[in-house]
């Protein structure tokens, strides 16, 4: 009788272990959806996807054409993470939209450039020239700060990244400003005298900041891009695995080789 009970116990234990193993295998089979913008973010994440699969982490890379939808999709649970924005932009989105999203790691930095198809230097910009800037709160301010660094304008004290054309205190050349969606700026560059363009949109349009920009941000700044997840997932095992793969030597080498200094790693 005791032997029979012992065998039954062992059998139950084995069954439970098999069930747990099955559940674990099922969990490992989940495909994590990561939102990116087209261009460098997508290219890098495709490399991360290949390496992650070797580590048992399955990723589906989903491309977006604007800055708004990836956060909305993540907040709604349609994505598991996104990788496309810098911290100031995320902070603004969390504050204005109430998203419960957090950054878990930095990724790359894209120095913003000032581009033109009509002039070859900042000094050549004519009186009354029209300058395109991104229309989102942080990148618009970022573009104006780049123009201020070039001595073209002066922004009211204390405004910082949230600057808009209304915050310009001095504009000696009487420059005009056209606020457009960041993704549209490369396509409309020919209709403008110049435009401040994010590198992740400049590169796919054939614009290299180190060669084509008539002015560019300094390499170091507050605009490091981040991996973002829902607040409840910030300590999840798959998140740590994703960060480990992204911050690997293989990914750093790919970025350095592929983008030749126009995209900078932050780790």
């Amino acid at each position: 009788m005791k032997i029979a009970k012992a065998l039954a116990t062992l059998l139950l234990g084995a069954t439970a272990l098999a069930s747990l193993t099955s559940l674990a295998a099922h969990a490992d089979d989940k495909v994590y959806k990561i939102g990116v913008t087209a261009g460098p973010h997508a290219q890098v994440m495709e490399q991360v996807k290949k390496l992650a699969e070797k580590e048992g982490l399955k990723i589906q890379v989903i491309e977006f054409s604007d800055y708004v939808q990836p956060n909305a999709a993540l907040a709604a649970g349609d994505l598991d993470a996104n990788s496309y924005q810098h911290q100031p932009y995320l902070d603004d989105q969390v504050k204005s939209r109430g998203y419960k999203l957090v950054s878990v790691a930095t990724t790359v930095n894209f120095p913003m450039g000032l581009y033109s198809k009509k002039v070859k230097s900042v000094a050549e910009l004519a009186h009354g020239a029209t300058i395109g800037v991104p229309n989102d709160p942080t990148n618009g301010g970022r573009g104006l700060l780049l123009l201020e660094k070039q001595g073209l304008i002066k922004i009211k004290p204390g405004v910082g990244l949230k600057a808009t054309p209304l915050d310009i205190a001095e504009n000696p050349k009487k420059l005009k400003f056209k606020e457009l969606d960041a993704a549209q700026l490369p396509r409309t560059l020919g209709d403008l005298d110049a435009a401040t363009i994010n590198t992740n949109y400049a590169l796919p349009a054939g614009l290299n900041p180190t060669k084509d920009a008539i002015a560019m941000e300094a390499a170091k700044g507050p605009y490091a891009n981040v991996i973002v997840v829902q607040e409840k997932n910030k300590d999840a095992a798959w998140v740590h695995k994703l960060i480990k793969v992204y911050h690997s030597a293989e990914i750093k080498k790919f970025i350095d080789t592929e983008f030749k200094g126009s995209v900078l790693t932050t780790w």
Side-chain angles (χ1 to χ4, degrees):
M1 190 70 176
K2 289 182 179 180
I3 292 173
K5 285 183 177 180
L7 287 172
T9 301
L10 286 171
L11 185 59
L12 285 170
T15 302
L17 181 61
S19 297
L20 287 172
T21 302
S22 176
L23 284 171
H26 180 71
D28 288 344
D29 282 340
K30 177 173 178 177
V31 177
Y32 293 91
K33 296 179 180 179
I34 301 181
V36 296
T37 44
H41 281 302
Q43 289 173 263
V44 174
M45 194 56 69
E46 287 292 348
Q47 297 301 311
V48 171
K49 174 183 175 179
K50 294 175 185 177
L51 284 180
E53 186 131 17
K54 296 176 183 177
E55 298 291 327
L57 179 66
K58 295 182 180 179
I59 291 173
Q60 180 182 357
V61 181
I62 300 176
E63 291 189 24
F64 292 83
S65 59
D66 64 60
Y67 285 160
V68 177
Q69 292 306 311
N71 277 336
L74 178 56
D78 297 324
L79 296 175
D80 297 291
N82 66 43
S83 177
Y84 78 101
Q85 63 194 312
H86 52 61
Q87 189 67 47
Y89 183 81
L90 173 64
D91 291 342
D92 180 79
Q93 289 270 290
V94 168
K95 184 177 179 180
S96 63
R97 298 172 184 262
Y99 292 148
K100 294 186 182 298
L101 306 178
V102 295
S103 60
V104 291
T106 60
T107 55
V108 293
N109 193 4
F110 299 86
M112 179 180 274
L114 176 65
Y115 299 86
S116 176
K117 290 186 176 181
K118 297 179 179 179
V119 300
K120 294 184 178 180
S121 72
V122 171
E124 291 179 31
L125 285 169
H127 213 79
T130 300
I131 312 295
V133 294
N135 65 1
D136 64 88
T138 52
N139 285 303
R142 182 180 179 183
L144 293 175
L145 287 173
L146 173 57
L147 297 176
E148 185 179 52
K149 285 284 186 184
Q150 301 305 310
L152 292 169
I153 58 172
K154 281 191 178 180
I155 298 170
K156 295 174 185 176
V159 179
L161 285 176
K162 294 185 177 180
T164 73
L166 296 175
D167 296 306
I168 296 173
E170 295 181 29
N171 183 5
K173 281 195 170 185
K174 305 297 181 186
L175 300 174
K176 298 172 185 176
F177 296 92
K178 192 165 186 178
E179 296 177 278
L180 297 168
D181 184 84
Q184 292 182 15
L185 286 167
R187 297 195 293 270
T188 57
L189 184 58
D191 300 323
L192 303 164
D193 292 296
T196 58
I197 302 176
N198 295 74
T199 298
N200 60 305
Y201 288 129
L203 289 176
L207 299 170
N208 188 314
T210 58
K211 296 178 181 178
D212 302 316
I214 59 175
M216 192 171 75
E217 284 176 337
K220 292 184 179 179
Y223 306 108
N225 286 265
V226 289
I227 295 173
V228 179
V229 299
Q230 288 188 354
E231 198 172 65
K232 65 182 181 181
N233 291 327
K234 64 180 181 178
D235 296 317
W238 69 267
V239 172
H240 292 295
K241 190 174 286 188
L242 173 63
I243 296 168
K244 180 183 176 182
V245 173
Y246 202 116
H247 285 183
S248 66
E250 292 92 335
I251 296 301
K252 182 174 178 60
K253 182 179 178 182
F254 170 79
I255 292 169
D256 292 344
T257 303
E258 182 71 18
F259 302 111
K260 298 177 176 60
S262 60
V263 178
L264 310 173
T265 57
T266 61
W267 68 94

